[in-house]
Amino acid sequence: MGEELLRFRPDGILILNIASYAAGTNPWQGEYDNIWCAGSQEEDDQFRSQSCSDGYLEIIGFKHFELARIQLGRRGHRIAQGSEIKLIIQRDIPMEIDGEPFSIGPCQITIKRKNQARMIMTERSHAAEQLRTTRL
């Protein structure tokens, strides 16, 4: 993933475990846009669909101008998906977790899902549809 970050040099990255960010936008599933997304639609489509119940976290890169485009239904640059993500921070950087900004110095951070709570859903919900299509 380091090569991917060096190649695209995003201003920021998002690590998501749900399909919603910044007042309900979906920067993973938004519309493909060759201005900033991967080099081709096929390269971009190598990733799995996002699901809050699949055990994966999604990593998305973006430039500052992309935040407005994400609000308009576009998506950021898909970087990776994984069940465990390790960040190696080599200098002081600004960071935000759940809307709380702070500054963090050099460190190593490992992010992984620990538990998953059962949620109530209706038969017509998107989550119920995902469960029906992924079960054998």
Side-chain angles (χ1 to χ4, degrees):
M1 184 172 84
E3 292 175 13
E4 188 78 7
L5 288 174
L6 289 174
R7 188 172 71 158
F8 288 100
R9 301 188 58 78
D11 293 327
I13 61 169
L14 297 174
I15 300 173
L16 301 171
N17 67 340
I18 59 172
S20 180
Y21 169 75
T25 64
N26 188 336
W28 184 265
Q29 296 293 115
E31 187 178 324
Y32 173 81
D33 184 338
N34 64 1
I35 291 175
W36 173 243
C37 292
S40 68
Q41 179 74 49
E42 295 78 29
E43 186 180 332
D44 200 51
D45 286 341
Q46 71 180 334
F47 297 102
R48 305 163 50 120
S49 292
Q50 182 181 31
S51 171
C52 61
S53 61
D54 65 2
Y56 284 93
L57 300 165
E58 282 73 30
I59 305 173
I60 301 161
F62 62 91
K63 295 281 191 185
H64 286 115
F65 72 89
E66 284 294 311
L67 290 175
R69 296 176 60 79
I70 287 170
Q71 292 287 336
L72 295 172
R74 304 291 189 194
R75 67 178 168 218
H77 176 76
R78 293 176 175 176
I79 296 173
Q81 288 175 299
S83 58
E84 183 172 310
I85 298 163
K86 187 180 294 184
L87 301 173
I88 300 171
I89 313 293
Q90 297 179 339
R91 60 182 172 85
D92 290 355
I93 61 167
M95 187 176 269
E96 182 178 316
I97 297 177
D98 286 337
E100 297 297 326
F102 59 96
S103 182
I104 191 166
C107 64
Q108 181 173 309
I109 301 170
T110 301
I111 303 169
K112 59 185 173 182
R113 293 175 64 149
K114 183 174 181 180
N115 296 319
Q116 184 163 339
R118 293 188 182 269
M119 302 301 289
I120 298 172
M121 67 179 122
T122 67
E123 285 297 316
R124 295 174 293 179
S125 71
H126 181 66
E129 179 62 29
Q130 284 183 323
L131 284 175
R132 282 192 293 276
T133 59
T134 56
R135 288 186 177 164
L136 297 176

